[in-house]
Amino acid sequence: QQQVKQSPQSLIVQKGGISIINCAYENTAFDYFPWYQQFPGKGPALLIAIRPDVSEKKEGRFTISFNKSAKQFSLHIMDSQPGDSATYFCAASGRDDKIIFGKGTRLHILP
Amino acid sequence: DVKVTQSSRYLVKRTGEKVFLECVQDMDHENMFWYRQDPGLGLRLIYFSYDVKMKEKGDIPEGYSVSREKKERFSLILESASTNQTSMYLCASSLVLDTPYNEQFFGPGTRLTVL
């Protein structure tokens, strides 16, 4: 019930293409769904987050789509750039200040 | 900007040694966390702390302990290091908010190798 399942484990996308990473959760008590981005040699950093009362959130080229009934959410990166190459973690949290992370997706954008 | 610093970027220790990993945050955050990151396993919570001298076990506390004597500092202790504790260790901190919309700020990590 506490798991967040993330796929794919790795992803290669051509420059300018759309990168899509998917996540699913079980615990309906989760009410905050952040995505973290991690570059090599750095700690993860918050990229974008969504609350379950909206179905989509967009910030620049990054969009989260949220399907509450299916308990799924996804990250779309439009016009993917080589600088987007990183590891992405989806996550979920409730009211106990803990965050449950997915296992991560290593994204590589081909120049 | 919040800054979370970790005492070492790389550390090599021998099996059986006692290992201390230190983490300091400069933004007066109440919450602090220790994770380990392994390929294919993501970020797994070891211990966290809501306040000074408070600690809670995470998902994988076995073989680890923690200490939080001051609000800004959270230490992870490996009492007797073993080779299966070779990993990247990440420290994070966050504010206590009355909502779950709570960003965690991470340090750069310590890559520990146990020989």
Side-chain angles (χ1 to χ4, degrees):
Chain A
Q1 293 83 359
Q2 285 292 91
Q3 246 183 334
V4 176
K5 295 183 179 179
Q6 181 172 351
S7 63
Q9 191 170 2
S10 63
L11 183 61
I12 299 174
V13 175
Q14 290 281 354
K15 179 183 174 181
I18 302 173
S19 304
I20 302 173
I21 304 170
N22 299 300
C23 287
Y25 65 98
E26 291 293 327
N27 189 345
T28 55
F30 289 145
D31 53 8
Y32 175 59
F33 300 89
W35 286 85
Y36 281 74
Q37 179 188 53
Q38 183 182 30
F39 293 107
K42 305 284 188 182
L46 180 65
L47 177 65
I48 185 173
I50 196 167
R51 292 157 45 177
D53 53 350
V54 298
S55 60
E56 184 175 282
K57 183 173 182 181
K58 185 175 181 178
E59 290 184 2
R61 295 184 294 107
F62 298 89
T63 300
I64 301 176
S65 298
F66 188 83
N67 185 331
K68 189 173 182 178
S69 61
K71 292 186 282 187
Q72 295 175 346
F73 58 111
S74 60
L75 177 69
H76 292 66
I77 306 174
M78 311 301 287
D79 187 27
S80 300
Q81 299 296 312
D84 298 329
S85 297
T87 299
Y88 292 80
F89 294 96
C90 63
S93 72
R95 299 222 163 230
D96 61 357
D97 291 338
K98 289 195 295 182
I99 295 178
I100 310 300
F101 289 90
K103 293 186 176 181
T105 297
R106 184 173 286 186
L107 174 64
H108 182 63
I109 308 299
L110 296 173
Chain B
D1 279 353
V2 175
K3 193 165 184 183
V4 179
T5 57
Q6 296 184 229
S7 52
S8 305
R9 294 300 302 272
Y10 300 94
L11 208 52
V12 180
K13 295 292 182 180
R14 296 208 174 272
T15 301
E17 279 193 80
K18 189 168 187 175
V19 181
F20 293 87
L21 302 182
E22 305 286 342
C23 175
V24 178
Q25 50 93 4
D26 67 357
M27 282 301 289
D28 205 34
H29 284 177
E30 291 89 352
N31 298 328
M32 295 190 76
F33 306 83
W34 275 107
Y35 296 88
R36 65 177 282 176
Q37 181 177 10
D38 300 287
L41 297 179
L43 299 169
R44 293 182 292 168
L45 183 64
I46 304 171
Y47 266 98
F48 61 102
S49 169
Y50 290 128
D51 201 349
V52 175
K53 297 193 185 293
M54 303 293 287
K55 60 184 179 184
E56 297 280 342
K57 291 180 180 179
D59 300 318
I60 52 164
E62 296 79 19
Y64 304 95
S65 62
V66 291
S67 173
R68 193 161 179 205
E69 296 296 319
K70 293 185 178 182
K71 189 175 185 179
E72 68 271 18
R73 187 179 298 269
F74 192 35
S75 301
L76 180 69
I77 304 157
L78 287 66
E79 295 290 342
S80 177
S82 63
T83 55
N84 63 12
Q85 292 179 310
T86 292
S87 186
M88 171 68 81
Y89 289 88
L90 289 161
C91 176
S93 71
S94 69
L95 280 169
V96 171
L97 300 174
D98 194 28
T99 75
Y101 318 127
N102 203 356
E103 179 179 359
Q104 288 188 11
F105 296 85
F106 284 83
T110 295
R111 184 165 294 282
L112 172 67
T113 301
V114 182
L115 301 176

